[in-house]
Amino acid sequence: MERIEHRACFGGWQDVYRHRSQVLGCTMDFAVYLPPQADGPGARLPVLYWLSGLTCNEQNFITKAGAQRYAAEHGVILVAPDTSPRGDDVPDAEGYDLGKGAGFYVNATAQPWARHYRMYDYVVHELPALVEAELPVDDRRSISGHSMGGHGALVAALRNPGRYRSVSAFSPIVAPTQVPWGEKAFGAYLGPDREAWKAYDATELVKSAPEKLPLLIDQGGGDEFLDTQLRPQLLQAAAEAAGHPLTLRMRPGYDHSYYFIASFVGEHLAHHARALQA
């Protein structure tokens, strides 16, 4: 694990690390914000994992969301991985919604994607194991994300009872098996068996989730993708039917951008901090 960026930020350090991922078969970068509390002797802090959306890498969240201020206030480490495998040997596709920058946090089973596109295992298992071995963290974890990353955060939490203390999302793709972004990506990465797709669909998973971890979602009312790609009402209906706690906050006027995330990320950090420090 090699540190390639190191910048002072709100009394702590905004770093970027590079490592060789065995799961993905390529070199990956990920961002880490260490708040000032991490400098204390023997300090071990909780971690919030942030999963970004389509076209993003580890830089978007750390440069646009303004989350470091709140992480420093609450004493929470932020870890933000890339959104897909990278490198000359990694398959890609034309367009922004498949291939590099669009890993969709699944374990691909179809060719040519299966060798490298295993982002689910990377963000749920490999990256946390590395972080917990090399950085001043303990085993208290929470997870959040935006759009495709919101989908990834919800799926990771719903599929792994007890692994995360809390979960939240901004503008998540809640039902990828029912919208164009998800149908395109899942058809490519997972093949034509639509039943197999349900393992990565929060609306399907919430119906039988073994842990009733409360879901917190903020959704912009002015989001250009609201009715075609996001459709939060589908998750809301499934959660109500299953008795799964869900707070869906519609924010009038806000779009799909990081202006939206920056406006409410402080509330999400406070939500996670309460769960992580309980």
Side-chain angles (χ1 to χ4, degrees):
M1 194 169 96
E2 174 193 5
R3 191 172 67 191
I4 59 173
E5 294 184 22
H6 185 56
R7 293 184 172 90
C9 184
F10 291 104
W13 296 98
Q14 180 60 66
D15 297 335
V16 176
Y17 287 91
R18 179 167 292 162
H19 76 112
R20 179 71 184 179
S21 168
Q22 298 303 311
V23 166
L24 302 178
C26 65
T27 298
M28 294 291 286
D29 295 346
F30 66 96
V32 177
Y33 176 68
L34 296 172
Q37 296 90 333
D39 285 340
R44 293 284 170 179
L45 301 181
V47 181
L48 174 62
Y49 290 88
W50 172 271
L51 307 184
S52 292
L54 288 164
T55 75
C56 293
N57 56 28
E58 81 288 343
Q59 293 289 327
N60 297 75
F61 177 69
I62 65 174
T63 59
K64 295 180 179 180
Q68 296 93 337
R69 176 193 302 270
Y70 306 105
E73 175 185 342
H74 295 294
V76 173
I77 292 173
L78 302 176
V79 174
D82 203 343
T83 55
S84 76
R86 304 282 179 172
D88 293 341
D89 296 333
V90 174
D92 200 4
E94 291 187 6
Y96 70 94
D97 53 358
L98 186 67
K100 294 177 184 177
F104 266 85
Y105 305 103
V106 304
N107 287 340
T109 55
Q111 297 301 332
W113 313 101
R115 169 67 185 90
H116 296 284
Y117 282 75
R118 302 185 61 82
M119 288 298 295
Y120 175 84
D121 277 353
Y122 178 71
V123 300
V124 173
H125 299 297
E126 186 183 35
L127 181 60
L130 179 65
V131 167
E132 290 167 18
E134 300 291 340
L135 295 172
V137 309
D138 55 30
D139 62 358
R140 291 174 292 168
R141 312 177 196 93
S142 290
I143 193 164
S144 186
H146 171 233
S147 193
M148 178 185 72
H151 139 75
L154 294 172
V155 167
L158 290 167
R159 287 183 53 164
N160 293 276
R163 185 163 185 82
Y164 302 100
R165 299 282 187 96
S166 54
V167 58
S168 74
F170 289 86
S171 314
I173 306 169
V174 301
T177 62
Q178 301 182 57
V179 300
W181 275 342
E183 289 178 323
K184 179 178 179 178
F186 285 13
Y189 297 145
L190 304 174
D193 181 5
R194 297 181 74 96
E195 282 299 309
W197 298 5
K198 293 180 179 180
Y200 299 101
D201 185 309
T203 297
E204 295 293 334
L205 292 169
V206 80
K207 296 175 182 178
S208 58
E211 179 188 26
K212 301 295 187 183
L213 187 68
L215 312 179
L216 172 63
I217 294 175
D218 271 313
Q219 173 62 60
D223 192 316
E224 60 269 39
F225 303 113
L226 177 58
D227 296 327
T228 56
Q229 305 283 11
L230 306 178
R231 303 178 67 187
Q233 69 275 11
L234 297 177
L235 178 62
Q236 185 175 41
E240 288 177 357
H244 197 113
L246 165 65
T247 300
L248 173 61
R249 304 188 297 201
M250 297 299 299
R251 304 291 193 173
Y254 285 90
D255 62 13
H256 200 69
S257 71
Y258 265 86
Y259 295 110
F260 171 46
I261 296 170
S263 298
F264 301 106
V265 73
E267 296 181 21
H268 282 240
L269 260 293
H271 165 76
H272 292 296
R274 286 191 294 271
L276 288 165
Q277 295 163 2

